[in-house]
Amino acid sequence: MASILVVDDDPILLNTLHSILGRAGHEVKTADNGELGLAIARRWLPDLVVLDIVMPGISGLELCRILRRESTVPILMLTAMDDEEDKVSGLQSGADDYLTKPFGARELLARVQALLRRTAIQRQPMAIPPSLDAKPSTYCLKEGELELDLISGRATLAGKLLNLKPKEFDLLAFLMHHRGQLFSQEQLLREVWGYEDCSDTRTVVVHIRRLREKLEADPSSPELLQTVRGLGYRFTE
């Protein structure tokens, strides 16, 4: 059972989400505006936040940015149908994933379970093959001046701490762990996000772009996170 905060100004949807998540065995609290949602999140420290983008007062995007500055709680954004800008804005604000309205109970629960599962895995040390560089009492992935500590979840570049969001760290660690191996966007959704439905791959595209902006000297001509057009992505060998 996980503790889940749902923030949405639509009372019907709010009650529906509370019912679906509650029947699945989760402890659920709700808020019908951003201010109340922020107060509950700070006091209750939920395991996951489900957050609508469009709300009066503190918008969903602004609330997402505040929560991301203060914690690594997984955030699932609710977006309008076919609104590409909302989806990209949500991911850029720090959301881990988005769900397009209208959606069914099975899809909601699948996304929630995938986020919770990835968070649980992230809290555990990753099993690293002996061929990879290991330091006493911790495991590291290295490439030049880039270093990922898989125990602490810290990433540094040239000795400076990188501000990677949880899913950015997961994605980078996965690709570095399988350096030189090519993965399609659908494969990354399955392996990193834990999704079974991999039809919408824009989450991967946005996360790759954000990583390049933080890692690459020239994000438009990446050397570490390489694209093979029409096939997918790989970390340089």
Side-chain angles (χ1 to χ4, degrees):
M1 180 182 73
S3 57
I4 300 178
L5 170 62
V6 182
V7 188
D8 197 305
D9 65 334
D10 181 340
I12 296 177
L13 182 57
L14 200 63
N15 290 334
T16 299
L17 293 173
H18 187 285
S19 177
I20 293 171
L21 295 169
R23 287 200 305 269
H26 300 296
E27 183 181 3
V28 184
K29 291 185 184 295
T30 61
D32 60 4
N33 61 77
E35 289 84 353
L36 179 58
L38 179 59
I40 294 175
R42 284 171 168 169
R43 182 176 67 252
W44 193 41
L45 302 179
D47 296 317
L48 184 142
V49 176
V50 179
L51 178 61
D52 188 30
I53 283 186
V54 181
M55 291 188 297
I58 297 180
S59 71
L61 292 177
E62 179 60 25
L63 178 54
C64 181
R65 284 190 284 266
I66 294 172
L67 292 175
R68 187 52 69 235
R69 286 197 299 266
E70 297 180 359
S71 76
T72 59
V73 61
I75 299 174
L76 176 63
M77 299 289 287
L78 305 180
T79 69
M81 181 185 296
D82 297 327
D83 195 329
E84 181 79 12
E85 184 176 349
D86 274 356
K87 294 172 183 176
V88 173
S89 296
L91 292 170
Q92 291 177 335
S93 297
D96 296 279
D97 194 14
Y98 59 82
L99 189 57
T100 302
K101 302 176 186 177
F103 49 82
R106 290 180 60 186
E107 184 180 9
L108 169 68
L109 293 175
R111 295 295 178 99
V112 165
Q113 288 306 115
L115 286 174
L116 292 172
R117 184 166 59 248
R118 289 304 306 171
T119 302
I121 292 173
Q122 185 184 357
R123 290 171 180 166
Q124 300 174 1
M126 183 183 295
I128 303 300
S131 60
L132 294 179
D133 185 27
K135 296 193 303 186
S137 76
T138 189
Y139 289 105
C140 287
L141 295 171
K142 292 182 178 180
E143 174 61 34
E145 295 183 309
L146 174 63
E147 181 173 335
L148 268 64
D149 187 318
L150 301 174
I151 301 298
S152 67
R154 290 165 55 92
T156 57
L157 182 63
K160 295 182 179 180
L161 185 65
L162 290 171
N163 182 26
L164 298 186
K165 297 178 174 61
K167 275 295 175 289
E168 293 172 357
F169 186 93
D170 287 351
L171 178 58
L172 181 58
F174 179 83
L175 290 172
M176 289 182 70
H177 188 183
H178 299 87
R179 63 184 66 209
Q181 185 174 343
L182 182 65
F183 292 93
S184 69
Q185 294 171 348
E186 293 80 7
Q187 286 175 314
L188 291 174
L189 280 176
R190 282 192 293 268
E191 297 294 336
V192 178
W193 277 263
Y195 294 164
E196 294 181 4
D197 179 5
C198 302
S199 57
D200 192 340
T201 58
R202 282 167 289 192
T203 295
V204 176
V205 175
V206 171
H207 278 74
I208 289 288
R209 184 173 70 241
R210 290 197 312 216
L211 280 173
R212 284 173 172 164
E213 291 171 352
K214 297 176 181 181
L215 299 177
E216 304 282 0
D218 181 4
S220 64
S221 183
E223 297 181 359
L224 297 176
L225 295 176
Q226 301 172 346
T227 298
V228 178
R229 187 172 298 277
L231 296 177
Y233 306 101
R234 65 186 176 200
F235 192 86
T236 184
E237 292 188 73

